[in-house]
PDB file of all heavy atoms in Angstrom:
ATOM      1  N   CYS A 471      -2.672  -1.639   8.409  1.00  0.00           N
ATOM      2  CA  CYS A 471      -3.906  -1.265   7.824  1.00  0.00           C
ATOM      3  C   CYS A 471      -4.304  -2.284   6.770  1.00  0.00           C
ATOM      4  O   CYS A 471      -3.417  -2.827   6.046  1.00  0.00           O
ATOM      5  CB  CYS A 471      -3.807   0.088   7.151  1.00  0.00           C
ATOM      6  SG  CYS A 471      -3.481   1.470   8.227  1.00  0.00           S
ATOM      7  N   GLY A 472      -5.596  -2.475   6.590  1.00  0.00           N
ATOM      8  CA  GLY A 472      -6.140  -3.232   5.436  1.00  0.00           C
ATOM      9  C   GLY A 472      -5.596  -4.646   5.349  1.00  0.00           C
ATOM     10  O   GLY A 472      -5.503  -5.346   6.489  1.00  0.00           O
ATOM     11  N   THR A 473      -5.166  -5.079   4.205  1.00  0.00           N
ATOM     12  CA  THR A 473      -4.634  -6.422   4.011  1.00  0.00           C
ATOM     13  C   THR A 473      -3.459  -6.658   4.906  1.00  0.00           C
ATOM     14  O   THR A 473      -3.332  -7.741   5.489  1.00  0.00           O
ATOM     15  CB  THR A 473      -4.271  -6.575   2.538  1.00  0.00           C
ATOM     16  OG1 THR A 473      -5.507  -6.573   1.807  1.00  0.00           O
ATOM     17  CG2 THR A 473      -3.510  -7.813   2.266  1.00  0.00           C
ATOM     18  N   ALA A 474      -2.616  -5.645   5.102  1.00  0.00           N
ATOM     19  CA  ALA A 474      -1.398  -5.841   5.968  1.00  0.00           C
ATOM     20  C   ALA A 474      -1.831  -6.131   7.374  1.00  0.00           C
ATOM     21  O   ALA A 474      -1.165  -6.900   8.125  1.00  0.00           O
ATOM     22  CB  ALA A 474      -0.485  -4.589   5.881  1.00  0.00           C
ATOM     23  N   VAL A 517       3.385  -3.730   9.852  1.00  0.00           N
ATOM     24  CA  VAL A 517       3.394  -4.421   8.611  1.00  0.00           C
ATOM     25  C   VAL A 517       2.848  -3.465   7.550  1.00  0.00           C
ATOM     26  O   VAL A 517       1.808  -2.864   7.636  1.00  0.00           O
ATOM     27  CB  VAL A 517       2.445  -5.692   8.705  1.00  0.00           C
ATOM     28  CG1 VAL A 517       2.586  -6.554   7.486  1.00  0.00           C
ATOM     29  CG2 VAL A 517       2.740  -6.450  10.004  1.00  0.00           C
ATOM     30  N   SER A 518       3.642  -3.346   6.479  1.00  0.00           N
ATOM     31  CA  SER A 518       3.218  -2.399   5.391  1.00  0.00           C
ATOM     32  C   SER A 518       3.893  -2.825   4.083  1.00  0.00           C
ATOM     33  O   SER A 518       5.134  -2.895   4.053  1.00  0.00           O
ATOM     34  CB  SER A 518       3.534  -1.006   5.790  1.00  0.00           C
ATOM     35  OG  SER A 518       3.235  -0.119   4.702  1.00  0.00           O
ATOM     36  N   GLN A 519       3.119  -2.892   3.037  1.00  0.00           N
ATOM     37  CA  GLN A 519       3.787  -3.151   1.684  1.00  0.00           C
ATOM     38  C   GLN A 519       4.497  -1.870   1.248  1.00  0.00           C
ATOM     39  O   GLN A 519       5.711  -1.950   1.021  1.00  0.00           O
ATOM     40  CB  GLN A 519       2.637  -3.503   0.673  1.00  0.00           C
ATOM     41  CG  GLN A 519       3.069  -3.927  -0.686  1.00  0.00           C
ATOM     42  CD  GLN A 519       3.579  -2.801  -1.595  1.00  0.00           C
ATOM     43  OE1 GLN A 519       4.720  -2.855  -2.086  1.00  0.00           O
ATOM     44  NE2 GLN A 519       2.883  -1.746  -1.687  1.00  0.00           N
ATOM     45  N   SER A 520       3.769  -0.778   1.264  1.00  0.00           N
ATOM     46  CA  SER A 520       4.420   0.472   0.714  1.00  0.00           C
ATOM     47  C   SER A 520       5.454   1.072   1.654  1.00  0.00           C
ATOM     48  O   SER A 520       6.331   1.713   1.280  1.00  0.00           O
ATOM     49  CB  SER A 520       3.315   1.497   0.467  1.00  0.00           C
ATOM     50  OG  SER A 520       2.715   1.845   1.676  1.00  0.00           O
ATOM     51  N   GLY A 521       5.214   0.825   3.004  1.00  0.00           N
ATOM     52  CA  GLY A 521       6.062   1.504   3.941  1.00  0.00           C
ATOM     53  C   GLY A 521       5.812   2.944   4.144  1.00  0.00           C
ATOM     54  O   GLY A 521       6.538   3.732   4.759  1.00  0.00           O
ATOM     55  N   GLU A 522       4.691   3.417   3.532  1.00  0.00           N
ATOM     56  CA  GLU A 522       4.321   4.871   3.565  1.00  0.00           C
ATOM     57  C   GLU A 522       2.958   5.081   4.164  1.00  0.00           C
ATOM     58  O   GLU A 522       2.545   6.282   4.269  1.00  0.00           O
ATOM     59  CB  GLU A 522       4.348   5.453   2.159  1.00  0.00           C
ATOM     60  CG  GLU A 522       5.710   5.374   1.412  1.00  0.00           C
ATOM     61  CD  GLU A 522       6.814   6.158   2.089  1.00  0.00           C
ATOM     62  OE1 GLU A 522       6.577   6.994   2.973  1.00  0.00           O
ATOM     63  OE2 GLU A 522       7.975   5.917   1.717  1.00  0.00           O
ATOM     64  N   THR A 523       2.181   4.129   4.522  1.00  0.00           N
ATOM     65  CA  THR A 523       0.866   4.286   5.015  1.00  0.00           C
ATOM     66  C   THR A 523       0.818   5.231   6.214  1.00  0.00           C
ATOM     67  O   THR A 523       1.467   5.004   7.247  1.00  0.00           O
ATOM     68  CB  THR A 523       0.254   2.909   5.361  1.00  0.00           C
ATOM     69  OG1 THR A 523       0.271   2.184   4.167  1.00  0.00           O
ATOM     70  CG2 THR A 523      -1.225   3.060   5.792  1.00  0.00           C
ATOM     71  N   THR A 526      -0.155   3.914   9.720  1.00  0.00           N
ATOM     72  CA  THR A 526       0.849   3.028  10.330  1.00  0.00           C
ATOM     73  C   THR A 526       2.092   3.741  10.712  1.00  0.00           C
ATOM     74  O   THR A 526       2.643   3.504  11.848  1.00  0.00           O
ATOM     75  CB  THR A 526       1.233   1.948   9.206  1.00  0.00           C
ATOM     76  OG1 THR A 526      -0.031   1.413   8.631  1.00  0.00           O
ATOM     77  CG2 THR A 526       2.042   0.826   9.729  1.00  0.00           C
ATOM     78  N   GLU A 566       4.749  -4.340  -6.229  1.00  0.00           N
ATOM     79  CA  GLU A 566       3.418  -4.812  -6.382  1.00  0.00           C
ATOM     80  C   GLU A 566       2.651  -3.611  -7.050  1.00  0.00           C
ATOM     81  O   GLU A 566       2.541  -2.570  -6.391  1.00  0.00           O
ATOM     82  CB  GLU A 566       2.778  -5.149  -5.050  1.00  0.00           C
ATOM     83  CG  GLU A 566       1.438  -5.850  -5.163  1.00  0.00           C
ATOM     84  CD  GLU A 566       0.884  -6.294  -3.794  1.00  0.00           C
ATOM     85  OE1 GLU A 566       0.594  -5.419  -3.005  1.00  0.00           O
ATOM     86  OE2 GLU A 566       0.755  -7.489  -3.585  1.00  0.00           O
ATOM     87  N   VAL A 569      -3.520  -2.668  -7.372  1.00  0.00           N
ATOM     88  CA  VAL A 569      -3.854  -1.948  -6.130  1.00  0.00           C
ATOM     89  C   VAL A 569      -4.326  -2.985  -5.061  1.00  0.00           C
ATOM     90  O   VAL A 569      -4.008  -2.844  -3.881  1.00  0.00           O
ATOM     91  CB  VAL A 569      -5.001  -0.935  -6.399  1.00  0.00           C
ATOM     92  CG1 VAL A 569      -5.695  -0.511  -5.164  1.00  0.00           C
ATOM     93  CG2 VAL A 569      -4.385   0.273  -7.119  1.00  0.00           C
ATOM     94  N   ALA A 570      -4.978  -4.094  -5.488  1.00  0.00           N
ATOM     95  CA  ALA A 570      -5.316  -5.110  -4.507  1.00  0.00           C
ATOM     96  C   ALA A 570      -4.150  -5.937  -4.167  1.00  0.00           C
ATOM     97  O   ALA A 570      -3.498  -6.505  -5.050  1.00  0.00           O
ATOM     98  CB  ALA A 570      -6.436  -5.993  -5.051  1.00  0.00           C
ATOM     99  N   SER A 571      -3.752  -5.976  -2.923  1.00  0.00           N
ATOM    100  CA  SER A 571      -2.539  -6.641  -2.471  1.00  0.00           C
ATOM    101  C   SER A 571      -2.669  -8.189  -2.524  1.00  0.00           C
ATOM    102  O   SER A 571      -3.742  -8.697  -2.067  1.00  0.00           O
ATOM    103  CB  SER A 571      -2.150  -6.194  -1.037  1.00  0.00           C
ATOM    104  OG  SER A 571      -0.930  -6.717  -0.722  1.00  0.00           O
ATOM    105  N   GLN A 578       4.197 -11.165   3.470  1.00  0.00           N
ATOM    106  CA  GLN A 578       4.130 -10.685   4.880  1.00  0.00           C
ATOM    107  C   GLN A 578       3.872 -11.857   5.836  1.00  0.00           C
ATOM    108  O   GLN A 578       4.475 -12.011   6.852  1.00  0.00           O
ATOM    109  CB  GLN A 578       2.958  -9.664   5.064  1.00  0.00           C
ATOM    110  CG  GLN A 578       3.333  -8.304   4.388  1.00  0.00           C
ATOM    111  CD  GLN A 578       2.010  -7.460   4.084  1.00  0.00           C
ATOM    112  OE1 GLN A 578       0.907  -7.939   4.235  1.00  0.00           O
ATOM    113  NE2 GLN A 578       2.277  -6.280   3.610  1.00  0.00           N
ATOM    114  N   GLU A 652      -9.913 -11.088   4.790  1.00  0.00           N
ATOM    115  CA  GLU A 652      -9.085 -10.681   3.612  1.00  0.00           C
ATOM    116  C   GLU A 652      -9.876 -11.065   2.297  1.00  0.00           C
ATOM    117  O   GLU A 652      -9.907 -10.346   1.355  1.00  0.00           O
ATOM    118  CB  GLU A 652      -7.783 -11.390   3.625  1.00  0.00           C
ATOM    119  CG  GLU A 652      -6.931 -11.349   2.438  1.00  0.00           C
ATOM    120  CD  GLU A 652      -6.486  -9.974   1.929  1.00  0.00           C
ATOM    121  OE1 GLU A 652      -6.831  -8.982   2.653  1.00  0.00           O
ATOM    122  OE2 GLU A 652      -5.910  -9.817   0.886  1.00  0.00           O
ATOM    123  N   LEU A 655     -12.514  -8.464   1.726  1.00  0.00           N
ATOM    124  CA  LEU A 655     -11.948  -7.205   1.303  1.00  0.00           C
ATOM    125  C   LEU A 655     -11.542  -7.278  -0.189  1.00  0.00           C
ATOM    126  O   LEU A 655     -11.783  -6.380  -0.966  1.00  0.00           O
ATOM    127  CB  LEU A 655     -10.721  -6.852   2.231  1.00  0.00           C
ATOM    128  CG  LEU A 655      -9.875  -5.650   1.812  1.00  0.00           C
ATOM    129  CD1 LEU A 655     -10.687  -4.360   1.863  1.00  0.00           C
ATOM    130  CD2 LEU A 655      -8.654  -5.483   2.641  1.00  0.00           C
ATOM    131  N   LYS A 656     -10.863  -8.369  -0.538  1.00  0.00           N
ATOM    132  CA  LYS A 656     -10.395  -8.580  -1.891  1.00  0.00           C
ATOM    133  C   LYS A 656     -11.611  -8.494  -2.822  1.00  0.00           C
ATOM    134  O   LYS A 656     -11.603  -7.836  -3.830  1.00  0.00           O
ATOM    135  CB  LYS A 656      -9.718  -9.924  -1.986  1.00  0.00           C
ATOM    136  CG  LYS A 656      -8.518  -9.989  -2.830  1.00  0.00           C
ATOM    137  CD  LYS A 656      -7.175  -9.565  -2.278  1.00  0.00           C
ATOM    138  CE  LYS A 656      -7.189  -8.161  -1.693  1.00  0.00           C
ATOM    139  NZ  LYS A 656      -5.939  -7.873  -0.935  1.00  0.00           N
ATOM    140  N   GLU A 659     -13.232  -4.868  -2.964  1.00  0.00           N
ATOM    141  CA  GLU A 659     -12.466  -3.721  -3.535  1.00  0.00           C
ATOM    142  C   GLU A 659     -12.321  -3.828  -5.029  1.00  0.00           C
ATOM    143  O   GLU A 659     -12.158  -2.789  -5.667  1.00  0.00           O
ATOM    144  CB  GLU A 659     -11.087  -3.584  -2.849  1.00  0.00           C
ATOM    145  CG  GLU A 659     -10.083  -4.673  -3.152  1.00  0.00           C
ATOM    146  CD  GLU A 659      -8.765  -4.399  -2.376  1.00  0.00           C
ATOM    147  OE1 GLU A 659      -8.391  -3.244  -2.289  1.00  0.00           O
ATOM    148  OE2 GLU A 659      -8.111  -5.380  -2.047  1.00  0.00           O
ATOM    149  N   LYS A 774      -2.849   2.831  -4.277  1.00  0.00           N
ATOM    150  CA  LYS A 774      -1.905   1.827  -3.715  1.00  0.00           C
ATOM    151  C   LYS A 774      -1.193   2.278  -2.422  1.00  0.00           C
ATOM    152  O   LYS A 774      -0.878   1.490  -1.592  1.00  0.00           O
ATOM    153  CB  LYS A 774      -0.896   1.506  -4.795  1.00  0.00           C
ATOM    154  CG  LYS A 774       0.006   0.301  -4.498  1.00  0.00           C
ATOM    155  CD  LYS A 774      -0.685  -1.057  -4.606  1.00  0.00           C
ATOM    156  CE  LYS A 774       0.100  -2.243  -4.218  1.00  0.00           C
ATOM    157  NZ  LYS A 774      -0.716  -3.352  -3.752  1.00  0.00           N
ATOM    158  N   SER A 775      -0.935   3.541  -2.347  1.00  0.00           N
ATOM    159  CA  SER A 775      -0.156   4.079  -1.250  1.00  0.00           C
ATOM    160  C   SER A 775      -0.988   5.089  -0.473  1.00  0.00           C
ATOM    161  O   SER A 775      -1.394   6.131  -1.145  1.00  0.00           O
ATOM    162  CB  SER A 775       1.133   4.610  -1.803  1.00  0.00           C
ATOM    163  OG  SER A 775       1.942   5.066  -0.789  1.00  0.00           O
ATOM    164  N   VAL A 776      -1.303   4.854   0.732  1.00  0.00           N
ATOM    165  CA  VAL A 776      -2.315   5.680   1.364  1.00  0.00           C
ATOM    166  C   VAL A 776      -1.596   6.651   2.360  1.00  0.00           C
ATOM    167  O   VAL A 776      -1.411   6.261   3.509  1.00  0.00           O
ATOM    168  CB  VAL A 776      -3.416   4.852   2.063  1.00  0.00           C
ATOM    169  CG1 VAL A 776      -4.472   5.715   2.719  1.00  0.00           C
ATOM    170  CG2 VAL A 776      -3.971   3.871   1.109  1.00  0.00           C
TER     171      VAL A 776
HETATM  172  C1  F6R B 937      -6.049  -4.177  -0.072  1.00  0.00           C
HETATM  173  C2  F6R B 937      -4.840  -3.323   0.199  1.00  0.00           C
HETATM  174  C3  F6R B 937      -4.889  -2.345   1.278  1.00  0.00           C
HETATM  175  C4  F6R B 937      -3.516  -2.222   1.927  1.00  0.00           C
HETATM  176  C5  F6R B 937      -3.459  -1.098   2.962  1.00  0.00           C
HETATM  177  C6  F6R B 937      -2.100  -0.978   3.669  1.00  0.00           C
HETATM  178  O1  F6R B 937      -5.856  -5.038  -1.152  1.00  0.00           O
HETATM  179  O2  F6R B 937      -3.869  -3.435  -0.531  1.00  0.00           O
HETATM  180  O3  F6R B 937      -5.844  -2.681   2.241  1.00  0.00           O
HETATM  181  O4  F6R B 937      -3.120  -3.415   2.495  1.00  0.00           O
HETATM  182  O5  F6R B 937      -3.846   0.068   2.340  1.00  0.00           O
HETATM  183  O6  F6R B 937      -1.112  -0.652   2.762  1.00  0.00           O
HETATM  184  P1  F6R B 937       0.351  -0.864   3.094  1.00  0.00           P
HETATM  185  O7  F6R B 937       0.556  -2.340   3.192  1.00  0.00           O
HETATM  186  O8  F6R B 937       1.057  -0.293   1.949  1.00  0.00           O
HETATM  187  O9  F6R B 937       0.670  -0.233   4.413  1.00  0.00           O
END
Side-chain angles (χ1 to χ4, degrees):
C471 297
T473 290
V517 188
S518 176
Q519 188 285 126
S520 62
E522 300 296 348
T523 302
T526 310
E566 191 179 63
V569 163
S571 186
Q578 288 160 354
E652 168 63 2
L655 173 64
K656 217 82 310 170
E659 72 179 324
K774 187 77 184 154
S775 182
V776 184

